[in-house]
Amino acid sequence: MAGVNLGIIGAGRIGRLHAENIIRHIPKAKIQIIADLYPDQVQAWAKDFDIPRVTADYREVLEDENIDAVLICSSTDTHAAFIIEAANTNKHIFCEKPIDLSIDRIKAALAVVEQRGVKLQVGFNRRFDHNHRKVRDLVAEGKIGDPHIIQITSRDPSPPPMEYIKVSGGLFLDMTIHDFDMARFLSSSEVEEVYALGDVLIDPAIGRAGDIDTATITLKFASGAIGLINNSRRATYGYDQRVEVFGSKGSVLNLNDTPSSAILSTGEGVISEKPKYFFLERYKESFILEMMEFIDAVINDADPPVDGEDGLKAALIAVAAKESLKQNRPVKIREVD
Amino acid sequence: MAGVNLGIIGAGRIGRLHAENIIRHIPKAKIQIIADLYPDQVQAWAKDFDIPRVTADYREVLEDENIDAVLICSSTDTHAAFIIEAANTNKHIFCEKPIDLSIDRIKAALAVVEQRGVKLQVGFNRRFDHNHRKVRDLVAEGKIGDPHIIQITSRDPSPPPMEYIKVSGGLFLDMTIHDFDMARFLSSSEVEEVYALGDVLIDPAIGRAGDIDTATITLKFASGAIGLINNSRRATYGYDQRVEVFGSKGSVLNLNDTPSSAILSTGEGVISEKPKYFFLERYKESFILEMMEFIDAVINDADPPVDGEDGLKAALIAVAAKESLKQNRPVKIREVD
Amino acid sequence: MAGVNLGIIGAGRIGRLHAENIIRHIPKAKIQIIADLYPDQVQAWAKDFDIPRVTADYREVLEDENIDAVLICSSTDTHAAFIIEAANTNKHIFCEKPIDLSIDRIKAALAVVEQRGVKLQVGFNRRFDHNHRKVRDLVAEGKIGDPHIIQITSRDPSPPPMEYIKVSGGLFLDMTIHDFDMARFLSSSEVEEVYALGDVLIDPAIGRAGDIDTATITLKFASGAIGLINNSRRATYGYDQRVEVFGSKGSVLNLNDTPSSAILSTGEGVISEKPKYFFLERYKESFILEMMEFIDAVINDADPPVDGEDGLKAALIAVAAKESLKQNRPVKIREVD
Amino acid sequence: MAGVNLGIIGAGRIGRLHAENIIRHIPKAKIQIIADLYPDQVQAWAKDFDIPRVTADYREVLEDENIDAVLICSSTDTHAAFIIEAANTNKHIFCEKPIDLSIDRIKAALAVVEQRGVKLQVGFNRRFDHNHRKVRDLVAEGKIGDPHIIQITSRDPSPPPMEYIKVSGGLFLDMTIHDFDMARFLSSSEVEEVYALGDVLIDPAIGRAGDIDTATITLKFASGAIGLINNSRRATYGYDQRVEVFGSKGSVLNLNDTPSSAILSTGEGVISEKPKYFFLERYKESFILEMMEFIDAVINDADPPVDGEDGLKAALIAVAAKESLKQNRPVKIREVD
């Protein structure tokens, strides 16, 4: 295949971001059609990018035999159904995270993907981030020996809107799921047991919505390594995204990216820049790279770098974490699988 | 009181360190006598410091009415008995950590200290470290608001000798006890529940001795904050001692001290110095400061900055951690108290 | 004007870079034609970008009345003549640095630009770099008070080919000219006197070609501030681009950008990444931003952010530096103007 | 010689500092006598340190046959005469910098030192600083190849009192002399030519006293390397002491030391500590080490690590810099020698 004809289902913030990245950086992929519940809003910018068709009906995307692959960027509750329909119409699939809030529905979707032989990549974009990838590469090269302790600090600058929180599936499935995937990515080992602590320390409204805003999760890996994740929905200084892998031969960690490297020294102190504000700034390049690798996988008929199994496993850890928090005890993955 | 006459019981590595620090930096304190099981070895260096008496019998120290205060730097199993005897002879006491491996014996010792009205300071020297103290000061000034997450990375450069490990009381009472105290110090809150994971990832001999060499501990504080401690007995790059307190208004963390700030850039990479090798280098100043504050407390009849209660509480957390590891479940402090 | 029709004269490495940036990031500008001495080589990639015309004859660009603005990216010896011709055909002009090696020819070109009322922007891209711009912004906001000392470290990873060096006009007009512009940009003051030292410490062939490979330049500003620039043609660890402005209220400096923030700690040392390798990586964003601002200036009929006067002044400092090196004495700008 | 009997001439701030360091850290040296113009002030603290004699008459120090070595810590104008007298009474000498403001008087003093065969160490304490020494060691080990560019940033937190400035010999002989020595130390090469720029940018009173408060100096080394020094009498953020040596194989630089490594991140920014405030904090250890090495040189009859020749050479560079500033031209060292 020389090029890929793409359809996009759901073109809110993240769908539009993918569209722009493809147009600017991936000439081998052509976006032929976008389906969105609000086609007029999409039309406004799609025109500037010479995208031929915008529709309110996602079926137009799936029924178009010219389309090789679809990006599913709609709300989480639609992912599994769209994956199944797309697989059944022989489209390759890029789906945003999480695949679904229900393990059963994820498995049902993956079964169809498997059966139809289409490719499925899940949007764990952080694997493509220069800082995290470098850590993973150094670990994979054996520079730190066998991993013993994996630490992930992952804090948002501010909580999402309450309406979003209510349908998000909770902190672990919405936010920490990235960190669960990162833990697997960095350790090259599977999580066997989870212990989660969490609380409402930032906004009581989050608690009233049945969610938490602050959490730590301990992971026990098959390899013997231990993982520690800490999350907050509000870091006043910006998006805090750091990892460390400590092992038998050493340690590798990364720091936050900043808008500039300028350091101001005055009588008040020595002041450097806050981290890049949020995920659109911080993970900008990673969104381009994940899409490039998806398009390459389609063109070269290769395995996508993050697949449905990865999506399932991160969700299993999230569900186990939820259960652990509820019962205040360590929960094994196999208890929820 | 204008000056303090001191006796030292136990003058191995740490006892000698205190002696040197006092002689160099605390002219208000005079070491009058040292008791050690190997008086000849002590005599060799005590002479250079003009220390008048060295004896094999600790009772000489306690029976000397001229002595105002004693430093108990003998092996852990002797601490509680020496505290009791010293209190009964009206000496103020500086005792190395841990007070004892048994909660009951600690309580018995503290009861006598209480009853006799002598001062007791416990050797949690890290509270006096410039880096940790600065973090604590910024937290106490409210700069980061209410603490939500406390992270402590505490890794030794290499395991102690096996003979030491066998009598150490295990990782939590020997090594992590410093971190438990640090967690209380940084958070200004009490730990209510502990969840510990640990494994033998470095040296199977440590496992055969019934101990672990790698651990993570999750702490639930009364304030709602969560603490995460990670330990290793072997960080190939040296002594790794970092803390972070994250809260409602921001975060404060510290980094390792290094022998110099030199940074070498070549075709091979950009290379800076490893952390200071171990606790004698890293915490050098803190040992001087803790002793200065102890001497000041004695002279000014003031409360010592770290007292027996602090020693007891850290030990309780350690014992709860041990229990948690054994049972693989979170354990409340009140279960072991 | 809603959009800009562009022609490019000279499409080697830098011309092609501008073309790609415009196509990806500046939809308001359309490249209509490219003239290059090797049109076949250009055609190979221009086709992928849907650029309508490629020609060997630059006059086709200038004679096309549809073209609003030209980018002059040909060799330095052609700049002045092309500026004059472009101005005479009423094109706005973006010209790579330096405008010319001769002050007289620069002035002649600027006179025509002035007379024809076209816009001229000079390719001092570093002004648009996030790190340098942040330093400049903090200085401009008065955060460091009045600048007293400006330090610029500017070192290439390796010397250019000898054929390039021979026609480059020498280190000061080829390489340091960026730093001279940076010095003016950071200080907001004009240079009055220059003292240059230089030597051949890297490659004797550079000396045989009549050039130097290592230099330091001291600048005396009208404001009383002093500037210090140091240059090398070969920093084994990569492209070293740092500035500092020290003033009455403090100091601001920046550091190099690196491919990632990963830090590896092992028994060997603590290793972080080398700076981004060279200007294409390091100044990637700045090339996009300078072009965006040029296009905006054309569309909004505004002054370009770096103009012909800036090009002249940097060249004057370079010529004075050359003279200073020759005579081994400080040389005033007005001596060479 | 097993131990050294010391006399101190001049016990102001620096003399007292040496006394305390010797008493705390150098048991092999015994301070037997201190001479000071204000013996009562000295007596107040000398008693605490069990220093046997304090006198107003420096001749008592020199005439005491029991004294092996003297520390000359009196005002600069007395150094040369005291060196000569001390050498003539066969005392080894540690003399604070600068030896004298006059090259002739320095040479006269060195001649007597030479003739009498006593040791003379000059108080260039920065050579003993951990950060600078590490840079020098890495250079000496060949890690950066041949030095090409040496940069020294040396800025005081605030100007000394005007009375001091008036007798200081000017910025170059008082303050920069440390940097001139550092340049020689780091490069292992001799300075051949100096170009100095300087101005009064901080306090006009300094100008009225005939001095400058801001300066940059360019050094040409015999090796071909170039040195750049920048000085200010007032860095609002504290004592700024950094060096860099750039060479054929790489670069090594150091950063300022800070009171702690704590980093605070809030909505306001990311704030770390200012440099240690001034030389007593920053160079604390270096003063101990230089004295240890002096005492060792005396005991072992070895060459002191910084000798009279070093003192002379730094002074020659300072005098050349003064001349350069006056004449606004590069001045060769041999012009002032």
Side-chain angles (χ1 to χ4, degrees), chain D residues 4 10 113 119 139 155 175 259 263 305:
Chain D
V4 178
V113 166
K119 296 174 199 309
V139 173
R155 302 169 188 156
M175 176 178 173
I263 301 173

Side-chain angles (χ1 to χ4, degrees), chain A residues 4 17 63 108 149 156 277 314:
Chain A
V4 177
L17 177 73
E63 287 160 7
I149 299 169
D156 285 352
Y277 185 67

Side-chain angles (χ1 to χ4, degrees), chain D residues 204-270:
Chain D
I206 293 174
R208 286 192 298 270
D211 204 355
I212 53 176
D213 53 33
T214 304
T216 70
I217 306 99
T218 305
L219 307 173
K220 214 166 157 176
F221 291 91
S223 67
I226 307 170
L228 291 175
I229 296 169
N230 76 87
N231 289 148
S232 171
R233 282 289 195 188
R234 192 180 67 209
T236 59
Y237 50 90
Y239 197 42
D240 196 348
Q241 297 283 303
R242 291 170 287 146
V243 306
E244 182 188 21
V245 185
F246 169 82
S248 56
K249 290 188 185 162
S251 174
V252 57
L253 55 76
N254 58 33
L255 305 174
N256 287 308
D257 281 350
T258 52
S260 89
S261 65
I263 301 173
L264 175 68
S265 297
T266 71
E268 314 294 303
V270 174

Side-chain angles (χ1 to χ4, degrees), chain D residues 152-230:
Chain D
I152 299 175
T153 290
S154 174
R155 302 169 188 156
D156 285 353
S158 58
M162 284 310 303
E163 313 80 66
Y164 179 85
I165 282 186
K166 283 171 187 161
V167 300
S168 69
L171 187 87
F172 297 139
L173 273 155
D174 175 52
M175 176 178 173
T176 325
I177 199 159
H178 274 298
D179 307 311
F180 295 138
D181 182 62
M182 184 57 58
R184 293 182 62 244
F185 178 62
L186 295 175
S187 67
S188 298
S189 181
E190 293 301 337
V191 171
E192 295 193 331
E193 196 178 290
V194 181
Y195 175 70
L197 264 187
D199 213 335
V200 180
L201 300 176
I202 293 164
D203 184 353
I206 293 174
R208 286 192 298 270
D211 204 355
I212 53 176
D213 53 33
T214 304
T216 70
I217 306 99
T218 305
L219 307 173
K220 214 166 157 176
F221 291 91
S223 67
I226 307 170
L228 291 175
I229 296 169
N230 76 87

Side-chain angles (χ1 to χ4, degrees), chain A residues 9-65:
Chain A
I9 300 178
R13 184 169 59 173
I14 193 75
R16 178 175 174 170
L17 177 73
H18 288 310
E20 290 187 18
N21 285 340
I22 290 162
I23 287 153
R24 285 187 177 156
H25 299 286
I26 316 182
K28 286 177 290 190
K30 297 286 168 198
I31 302 167
Q32 301 291 1
I33 182 166
I34 296 178
D36 193 272
L37 294 178
Y38 306 95
D40 291 352
Q41 287 179 20
V42 172
Q43 193 60 65
W45 54 265
K47 207 169 40 182
D48 289 344
F49 290 123
D50 299 327
I51 293 169
R53 289 159 67 201
V54 174
T55 172
D57 183 0
Y58 75 92
R59 279 167 303 191
E60 282 190 46
V61 177
L62 300 179
E63 287 160 7
D64 185 338
E65 296 201 347

